Each structure stands twice: as C-alpha cells, then as structure tokens.
Amino acid sequence: KMEYLELCSKKFADIEIQRYCYKELAKLYENKFMFTEALKYIAKLKCLCIMQRERVDCIFKEIELLIKSGFYEKADLSFREAIKELNENDRFELKKRITDAYNEEIKKLEKSSKYSGMIKVYESLIHYVVDNERTQIKRKMMEIDKKLGRVREYMLLEKELEGHPVKSVSVI
C-alpha cells in the first residue's frame, strides 16, 4: 500500500491526489512506528495545504510526530514557529496536545524503565505547564535523579523547590 501511494504521488500532478497520498502515507508510516518517514510526508502535505485549518492540523501532527520520534528540541522549535501562525484558541489547543504527547511518551518510557529518557522528556515538558504542575514535574525529576545517582542535579532541584535561588553550576 505504501509503495502504491508513493508511486501515485509521483505519477499524478493533481494536488488533491498528492494531498490524499501524503496524508495516507503519513498515517501508514506512523502506524508502523516509522516516525521520520511520516514526518517527511507531513512536511510535503503541509506545503500543499490550502485552507488554514488543514495547515494547523499538519502543524499539530508534525509536532506530535517529532515528540514520538524523540526530537524534543525540534518539537520546541516547531512550536515556536507555529505560535506565530496560530490564533489564541489554536495556541491553547496546541499546548494541550503537546503536553498530552509528552505525557504519553513518559508513560511509554516508564513502562520500560528508561529513566534517562524520562528526564529528557520532563525537561522538555516543563516549559509547557503551569506552576503547580511544574513543581510536580520537578519532584518527579528529583526521584529519577536519585534513582540514576545524579546527585548534583538532585540537589539543584531540591534547592529550587525549597525556594532558594539556584545558580547554574559549570563543570570543567
């Protein structure tokens, strides 16, 4: 099916056919956990979008796929670019979908006990939540730092949660 859709997207110049092929290819690759390939077709689809709502949906899907594939920095950059194009309601919805995607990623990593990966996800997630949730995340990060034996990071978070201003420590 993937091969057929790829051939159709190359063979036919009609924009509607290409949009359909790219959308279906992105879904198929996502279902096969081939997120980088799915991202490639979402990017092609985004270029062909005519209506603003379709473009917004492509942006949402792109960021979701970036998170699933572990490209958290790229997801943050895409979010910053998307903010410029979106209205207030779409910004709120995008933030909610990003936090949901990060939370799904955390659950998946938690099941497989991949604590170092969880720290990376929490570090990215912390920028999208409000103060109350931020302190909960920092507490979870402290627990993980303790499990991983990251004493310095644990102590920095502990001081930050106690209300002491934390100075960044450089390691030489």
Side-chain angles (χ1 to χ4, degrees):
K1 196 171 183 180
M2 290 177 196
E3 189 177 333
Y4 176 73
L5 288 170
E6 286 174 357
L7 289 172
C8 286
S9 69
K10 291 176 184 172
K11 185 176 181 180
F12 297 105
D14 185 21
I15 292 175
E16 290 299 317
I17 293 173
Q18 287 182 341
R19 286 174 50 210
Y20 174 78
C21 290
Y22 293 153
K23 186 183 283 187
E24 290 301 311
L25 281 165
K27 286 179 189 175
L28 289 170
Y29 279 115
E30 182 183 6
N31 291 338
K32 297 282 184 186
F33 301 103
M34 299 171 73
F35 300 121
T36 53
E37 289 294 316
L39 279 165
K40 181 174 81 173
Y41 288 108
I42 287 292
K44 288 181 178 184
L45 177 63
K46 191 166 66 168
C47 292
L48 295 178
C49 288
I50 299 166
M51 297 178 66
Q52 179 66 19
R53 187 73 230 159
E54 290 175 330
R55 186 161 173 74
V56 168
D57 290 340
C58 285
I59 290 169
F60 287 178
K61 194 64 174 173
E62 180 183 29
I63 293 173
E64 187 178 309
L65 288 170
L66 283 168
I67 292 169
K68 285 182 178 180
S69 60
F71 298 123
Y72 308 124
E73 295 84 22
K74 288 183 182 180
D76 288 339
L77 289 173
S78 293
F79 172 73
R80 288 187 191 116
E81 290 175 18
I83 289 274
K84 298 172 188 171
E85 295 182 34
L86 302 176
N87 63 32
E88 194 64 35
N89 290 336
D90 289 336
R91 287 180 193 162
F92 180 75
E93 184 181 344
L94 178 59
K95 262 189 165 181
K96 184 181 180 323
R97 286 180 67 169
I98 287 174
T99 55
D100 291 344
Y102 276 126
N103 285 325
E104 283 180 37
E105 195 70 17
I106 288 168
K107 286 176 187 174
K108 188 169 58 173
L109 291 169
E110 201 169 30
K111 285 180 184 176
S112 58
S113 299
K114 295 185 178 179
Y115 297 115
S116 60
M118 287 173 59
I119 286 286
K120 290 177 185 175
V121 176
Y122 277 130
E123 287 172 348
S124 297
L125 173 63
I126 208 161
H127 303 295
Y128 298 100
V129 295
V130 292
D131 291 335
N132 189 22
E133 293 172 329
R134 192 171 289 137
T135 54
Q136 291 174 345
I137 289 173
K138 287 180 182 177
R139 285 197 175 98
K140 290 177 184 177
M141 287 173 66
M142 279 177 55
E143 292 172 21
I144 294 170
D145 284 336
K146 193 173 186 178
K147 288 178 184 176
L148 292 174
R150 296 170 41 160
V151 177
R152 184 177 43 134
E153 289 84 355
Y154 175 84
M155 292 175 69
L156 284 172
L157 281 172
E158 188 177 46
K159 284 182 182 178
E160 193 174 322
L161 287 174
E162 288 175 359
H164 294 90
V166 176
K167 297 177 185 174
S168 61
V169 177
S170 61
V171 176
I172 297 175

